[in-house]
Amino acid sequence: MTSKSSFWKISRLNSKKRFPFFIICFLVCFFIMPVITYVDVMNAKAILERYGPIALNETFYNMRLISLPPFSGFHGILTAALALLLAITGWSWNNQIKKVDFYKALPVKESVRWWYINLNNLFIFMICYGINLILSNIVLACGGFYSPTALKVSLVGFLVHTLLFIAVYMIICIAQLLTGNFILAALGGCYLVVLEPLIRFMIYALSDSFFKTYSHLAYLHDGIYILEKGILTPIAPYINAVGYRFNTNKVYFADNAGLVKGIVILCIQIAVYGFIAYKLYRARASYAGNNNIAFGFAKPIIKCIIMIPAIVFAALGFHTINGDGDGFMIFGFISGVIISQILLQYLIEGDFKCVVKGIRSAVVSTVIAAVIVIIFTADVFGYDRYIPEADEVESFAVIYDSDIYSDYLEDDGEYVPYGQYLMNHMKLTDKQLLSKLTGYISESLSEDKYNENNYDGRSYGVGVTVKYETTSGKTITRSYVMANGRGKELYRDLYNNREYVDVHNPLKNESIAEKLSDKNAYISAFYDSFVDFDYNSVHFEEGDILPLFDAIQKDMDARKADDVTDGNMIGEVCVYIEPRVERYDYYGGSYSTNLSFAVYDCDAYMLKLLEKYEYDITEPNWDEVERFEVTRYDYDSGQSYSGNIEKDDPMFETLKGMVIISGNYGTSSVPNFDVYNNDLNVSAVSNNRYLHFYLREGEYPEGLDDKLKPDQNGLYY
């Protein structure tokens, strides 16, 4: 029997042996927490002297007390690292037979030994982390930057990180008790912690490689999505508990539901993994330290868990080298089987002579890996063929590739890519429009139909992402490449739908409307012309800002689909909004908002407003153009050809009738349906000033090659 006094006596003895690790943990926490907090307080004081009063919001305290910029989430990584260190060192004696015999000989119950070792490690973490958290708060208070928010963040942060420590610690203990040396225990523990995100990443990589309609827009932050979803390992519940927003570098406890859910999942994990670890501890034989794997039954399980992803990733890796055929992928698959069999058998048995053993588990792993690869390569479940029935869809969204990263808008306190904003807010319900959309999608999945509508079979297409909200509550996202002709027809249909046009209008974004209505905000706007040789910009006066937005709104409401798809974009209005604040907001995010609006030659209200500034240039002044400078690239030979087309040359008028304003490409979120000829660059020259133009694909003036000569420099690359 072990009395309470002997328990605490043994605990104190164990604590003395663990004292060096306590010092290491304390120093690491000290330099990462209060020291860096002190540096940040000094920076805040410098800002105070320069800008005046500082607004220290919740983000500031979270970044100081829970995380660290620029590597947000660092306290979580620190906690996991300490759990790894203390679990491995705390149970290292279990891999040394002499020490095992010594510990087993002590008159201490196995359950008591289990508790005092684990509790000692937990106390080491709690003392090190807790004291340094208190010191961080003292640093903030002494610097004059303290509030009740800091106390809230500290208490909740201490709870969440303690739970994270215990959960990771128990997983490492499982790895420690399954293996026979600390190196395998450390590697195995890390692998178990990241196993669920690793499987998610494998599915993502397979989908991205083999599904033609897999949508990146659904997961613009794929790596983050992989980490923040799941319940089997502590990573996802921890991220959700602290409310970490990856795309804004903020950590805060804003989502109370996420906090409670994360804490509950972590507690369940602690109970489950703690129970498993305890059972392994009681079942582990004293001689297990002689073996790399302590339990014979665990060998094939461990091998399969590692070998299956290894084979799949090997096949994927070689597939990326040459994605056109299956030869490299098959070679990678076979290589993965052979290499993982050799390495894993050596790690499991500790002897290269045993690499030919474990054939049964190798065969099982190979078969499972092959099935996984075949499911994705052969699209067994019809992922790429999915087209919903109209009555299955409650609402849908259509986002062109040109929308995805054209700008960033504020959405629920975060700045998200424009495409993601559209994805979140576009809710189209027109069944007739949906019917046309699914018909175009069906054609895009048929190669013959695709070529028939793709401007005489050219290989170019228009990227479109579609999100379906089904009546059953599911969200399904697919990406397609539509023929240029169909992409243009679809855009016209969409543009005639008021819901689609309104969600595309930044002026109807609530956060932007609020900023525009702020009388204290600083707003500047200017117009950039794409057709002016002098590249003049019109800076709007403060009194014209509201009329400017009124003109933009009226022009957007008046435009027809053909005005956008077939009209000329002649310029762009750029708007800068920054609220005037009395205090500098430290780590509060960027207040400024930048917007851009395309201006077409049909925009009557905008052109009328520009007349006030005596600016009426809606097309290039061809009278002052001296010549065209033309360069053609021959991609087969690598040779470039160039020449000048003077104004008195008949070819000048021919080119003039063909060229497209270069502003129509890449400056607007409007898709480019008229594919330009990337073999040809055309520039109009006036008094050493240039305007750049494109020609549509397939349009090439007859006789132009006769006026071009090979460049003297030879190859252009």
Side-chain angles (χ1 to χ4, degrees):
M1 296 291 292
T2 305
S3 64
K4 292 183 179 179
S5 60
S6 62
F7 172 82
W8 291 111
K9 183 177 180 180
I10 295 172
S11 296
R12 288 194 297 271
L13 179 63
N14 184 263
S15 299
K16 290 180 180 179
K17 293 181 179 180
R18 309 279 294 142
F19 187 72
F21 297 102
F22 171 82
I23 297 297
I24 293 173
C25 294
F26 187 88
L27 290 176
V28 170
C29 291
F30 178 76
F31 283 105
I32 286 178
M33 297 171 70
V35 171
I36 296 183
T37 301
Y38 173 79
V39 173
D40 208 60
V41 166
M42 293 298 102
N43 292 336
K45 285 187 174 182
I47 294 172
L48 179 66
E49 294 176 0
R50 182 174 180 181
Y51 295 98
I54 302 176
L56 292 183
N57 56 20
E58 185 173 329
T59 305
F60 173 87
Y61 296 109
N62 279 280
M63 296 299 274
R64 293 300 91 225
L65 303 174
I66 300 301
S67 184
L68 285 176
F71 197 41
S72 297
F74 191 78
H75 283 203
I77 297 174
L78 167 66
T79 300
L82 294 180
L84 173 65
L85 173 67
L86 294 175
I88 293 298
T89 56
W91 289 95
S92 60
W93 62 270
N94 215 26
N95 295 325
Q96 304 175 47
I97 295 179
K98 291 184 178 180
K99 288 189 176 182
V100 171
D101 292 338
F102 171 76
Y103 275 91
K104 296 283 187 181
L106 294 175
V108 179
K109 294 174 64 176
E110 292 293 324
S111 59
V112 173
R113 183 180 296 111
W114 167 262
W115 281 108
Y116 80 69
I117 291 177
N118 292 333
L119 287 176
N120 278 351
N121 287 331
L122 176 60
F123 290 152
I124 289 174
F125 169 78
M126 294 177 68
I127 292 171
C128 293
Y129 191 88
I131 290 177
N132 283 287
L133 197 58
I134 294 172
L135 292 176
S136 297
N137 281 270
I138 293 174
V139 169
L140 286 173
C142 293
F145 304 110
Y146 194 76
S147 78
T149 301
L151 179 61
K152 166 195 168 185
V153 170
S154 298
L155 293 176
V156 178
F158 182 75
L159 171 63
V160 171
H161 285 90
T162 299
L163 294 176
L164 174 66
F165 173 86
I166 301 173
V168 175
Y169 178 89
M170 286 302 171
I171 292 176
I172 304 299
C173 283
I174 292 175
Q176 172 73 47
L177 294 166
L178 284 173
T179 58
N181 64 68
F182 73 93
I183 295 178
L184 286 179
L187 294 175
C190 293
Y191 183 80
L192 289 176
V193 170
V194 302
L195 180 58
E196 187 177 22
L198 182 69
I199 293 173
R200 286 185 171 274
F201 176 72
M202 181 179 71
I203 295 172
Y204 155 71
L206 286 166
S207 301
D208 184 43
S209 297
F210 300 112
F211 289 157
K212 296 178 181 179
T213 63
Y214 181 76
S215 172
H216 288 274
L217 184 55
Y219 315 114
L220 283 176
H221 310 282
D222 285 309
I224 308 311
Y225 169 81
I226 289 167
L227 291 177
E228 66 185 5
K229 300 294 182 182
I231 59 172
L232 298 181
T233 61
I235 296 176
Y238 166 74
I239 290 173
N240 291 312
V242 298
Y244 183 47
R245 305 298 176 90
F246 286 86
N247 54 338
T248 55
N249 279 337
K250 292 182 181 180
V251 181
Y252 53 100
F253 302 107
D255 186 354
N256 188 58
L259 173 63
V260 174
K261 180 180 178 181
I263 289 176
V264 170
I265 294 175
L266 285 172
C267 290
I268 294 173
Q269 288 181 358
I270 290 170
V272 172
Y273 296 138
F275 177 79
I276 295 173
Y278 179 72
K279 288 297 183 181
L280 289 174
Y281 166 71
R282 295 302 301 266
R284 181 178 166 114
S286 59
Y287 57 82
N290 284 331
N291 305 319
N292 283 359
I293 303 298
F295 297 92
F297 74 87
K299 291 182 180 181
I301 299 174
I302 294 173
K303 183 177 178 181
C304 289
I305 291 175
I306 300 175
M307 191 171 185
I308 293 170
I311 297 172
V312 173
F313 279 118
L316 273 173
F318 278 88
H319 173 74
T320 57
I321 297 175
N322 182 9
D324 295 333
D326 296 332
F328 272 82
M329 184 180 67
I330 295 173
F331 175 78
F333 187 94
I334 296 173
S335 299
V337 172
I338 296 173
I339 294 173
S340 59
Q341 164 68 11
I342 294 173
L343 291 179
L344 289 174
Q345 278 301 123
Y346 173 72
L347 290 175
I348 290 172
E349 303 294 346
D351 189 349
F352 272 116
K353 296 178 181 178
C354 299
V355 296
V356 294
K357 294 183 178 180
I359 299 300
R360 185 181 302 173
S361 57
V363 170
V364 171
S365 299
T366 302
V367 170
I368 294 175
V371 169
I372 292 172
V373 172
I374 291 171
I375 286 174
F376 286 88
T377 55
D379 193 8
V380 173
F381 298 109
Y383 184 96
D384 280 338
R385 300 187 298 274
Y386 174 79
I387 299 177
E389 298 293 335
D391 56 356
E392 296 177 7
V393 180
E394 184 172 313
S395 66
F396 62 99
V398 182
I399 294 91
Y400 282 83
D401 282 358
S402 55
D403 292 327
I404 295 178
Y405 295 106
S406 62
D407 209 342
Y408 280 74
L409 289 179
E410 187 175 351
D411 187 22
D412 191 23
E414 302 178 49
Y415 280 89
V416 299
Y418 188 53
Q420 187 66 55
Y421 172 82
L422 294 176
M423 179 77 79
N424 296 340
H425 293 273
M426 191 182 298
K427 306 286 184 182
L428 305 179
T429 56
D430 188 329
K431 294 296 183 182
Q432 185 176 359
L433 180 58
L434 175 63
S435 178
K436 288 184 179 181
L437 170 65
T438 54
Y440 295 157
I441 290 173
S442 179
E443 288 184 0
S444 73
L445 298 177
S446 169
E447 186 174 352
D448 293 337
K449 289 287 186 181
Y450 174 86
N451 289 330
E452 180 182 326
N453 293 285
N454 199 38
Y455 291 152
D456 301 324
R458 292 204 301 274
S459 59
Y460 303 100
V462 179
V464 176
T465 297
V466 181
K467 184 185 78 169
Y468 307 101
E469 297 281 357
T470 67
T471 53
S472 61
K474 294 182 179 179
T475 299
I476 300 171
T477 308
R478 296 288 189 273
S479 288
Y480 310 94
V481 178
M482 286 190 178
N484 283 279
R486 286 308 193 201
K488 194 170 186 176
E489 289 179 36
L490 173 62
Y491 192 80
R492 284 177 176 148
D493 293 331
L494 290 167
Y495 206 83
N496 290 325
N497 182 286
R498 180 48 53 183
E499 291 176 294
Y500 180 84
V501 176
D502 286 346
V503 78
H504 268 277
N505 187 351
L507 296 179
K508 295 189 177 182
N509 177 283
E510 292 183 3
S511 64
I512 292 176
E514 183 179 346
K515 291 177 181 179
L516 292 175
S517 63
D518 183 1
K519 296 182 179 180
N520 295 319
Y522 170 76
I523 304 176
S524 63
F526 61 90
Y527 170 76
D528 269 341
S529 174
F530 300 149
V531 294
D532 187 353
F533 277 100
D534 293 321
Y535 296 101
N536 286 321
S537 294
V538 175
H539 290 265
F540 296 96
E541 298 173 358
E542 185 173 350
D544 285 331
I545 295 297
L546 291 181
L548 168 66
F549 291 133
D550 183 60
I552 292 173
Q553 185 67 66
K554 288 180 178 179
D555 283 330
M556 294 183 74
D557 290 339
R559 283 180 204 150
K560 304 299 181 184
D562 290 346
D563 296 331
V564 178
T565 57
D566 298 325
N568 275 324
M569 189 197 307
I570 60 174
E572 187 175 39
V573 173
C574 299
V575 180
Y576 177 77
I577 308 170
E578 182 175 7
R580 289 191 178 100
V581 294
E582 296 180 356
R583 297 186 298 172
Y584 182 92
D585 194 346
Y586 199 93
Y587 283 121
S590 173
Y591 275 111
S592 63
T593 300
N594 298 298
L595 302 174
S596 59
F597 301 91
V599 177
Y600 292 86
D601 52 9
C602 64
D603 291 342
Y605 293 96
M606 178 57 65
L607 295 178
K608 184 177 181 180
L609 183 62
L610 289 172
E611 288 179 3
K612 177 181 177 180
Y613 295 86
E614 298 181 352
Y615 194 90
D616 59 355
I617 301 176
T618 59
E619 63 176 342
N621 187 348
W622 295 110
D623 292 336
E624 62 177 293
V625 175
E626 302 165 2
R627 65 184 182 276
F628 280 118
E629 291 185 0
V630 181
T631 302
R632 182 176 68 83
Y633 304 105
D634 187 339
Y635 289 103
D636 293 331
S637 65
Q639 178 70 53
S640 61
Y641 302 83
S642 60
N644 295 336
I645 310 300
E646 301 297 335
K647 197 168 186 177
D648 57 358
D649 192 323
M651 184 62 67
F652 183 92
E653 290 298 324
T654 303
L655 280 175
K656 177 182 170 182
M658 288 185 173
V659 292
I660 307 171
I661 299 170
S662 61
N664 285 334
Y665 298 94
T667 57
S668 168
S669 62
V670 178
N672 170 27
F673 303 108
D674 291 321
V675 181
Y676 66 89
N677 187 338
N678 59 4
D679 297 343
L680 198 67
N681 286 346
V682 180
S683 298
V685 184
S686 172
N687 195 22
N688 291 323
R689 299 168 302 170
Y690 290 78
L691 280 180
H692 301 288
F693 299 90
Y694 294 106
L695 264 66
R696 288 183 174 87
E697 176 72 18
E699 294 185 357
Y700 194 83
E702 186 178 353
L704 179 60
D705 279 344
D706 297 335
K707 300 182 180 296
L708 304 180
K709 297 181 180 180
D711 287 334
Q712 294 181 357
N713 294 330
L715 299 180
Y716 66 87
Y717 57 78

